[in-house]
Amino acid sequence: MDLRQYRGIYEPEVMSRLGNRSKVFSKKTRVKVRAINDRVFDLEFPDGSEKNFEVSPTPEPEISPKQKEKLIEALKAITGQDPDAKQIRRAVMEYSKAAAARMTNVITDQLIEAQYRRIAKLAIHSGNLYGTGVIKGPLVDIRLKTRFTHTGEKWDVEEKEHYSPFVDHVPLWRFFPDM
């Protein structure tokens, strides 16, 4: 019934009663669904450089012993003396914040390549129209990455496999949950 109203189609019993009269149907539901689609999308996906997610280190980040040794050596080179525990903690926190910033860039790039905004828009529309929107993912795809390297006088082509995440919209009528 809701889908017929969205599409501007009368119920079968109403159509039979109309006979030869006008069959114009006001599509107010379509206007409301489109408006709420846009509103929800704007709330979920802000414009500009603002992101709807954040990656940050834990209050007490842990890094590998090898990386910690590199940080301690770098601190020794800068100060000329052995760093104390507070300096090491501060250096580990700065390192973790930089790693979190790099991870934010990687995630943003992967979301753009996966066309997450477009797929989320389809799921939002399905959710507003039927009450349920389904996004399948994140899934992993193996893709080829081609690089050209210059060696001497010629260019060499290097193809390397890499894992790339992707997401997909599942129409509600093709969604079968696995219990």
Side-chain angles (χ1 to χ4, degrees), residues 89-116:
R89 265 199 313 276
R90 192 175 319 128
V92 168
M93 181 56 86
E94 291 303 316
Y95 176 80
S96 299
K97 285 180 182 178
R102 289 191 306 274
M103 181 53 74
T104 299
N105 291 337
V106 169
I107 292 171
T108 302
D109 186 47
Q110 289 174 344
L111 289 173
I112 289 169
E113 286 181 10
Q115 298 178 357
Y116 182 70

Side-chain angles (χ1 to χ4, degrees), residues 127-174:
N128 290 330
L129 189 57
Y130 304 117
T132 303
V134 181
I135 293 180
K136 178 173 64 172
L139 304 168
V140 178
D141 192 18
I142 298 175
R143 297 186 181 171
L144 284 177
K145 187 180 269 188
T146 305
R147 289 184 54 175
F148 295 94
T149 55
H150 191 269
T151 54
E153 294 183 13
K154 57 186 272 197
W155 288 89
D156 291 329
V157 177
E158 221 179 89
E159 287 188 340
K160 184 179 176 185
E161 287 185 346
H162 73 99
Y163 295 101
S164 177
F166 73 95
V167 293
D168 197 12
H169 169 253
V170 179
L172 184 62
W173 310 115
R174 297 190 189 280

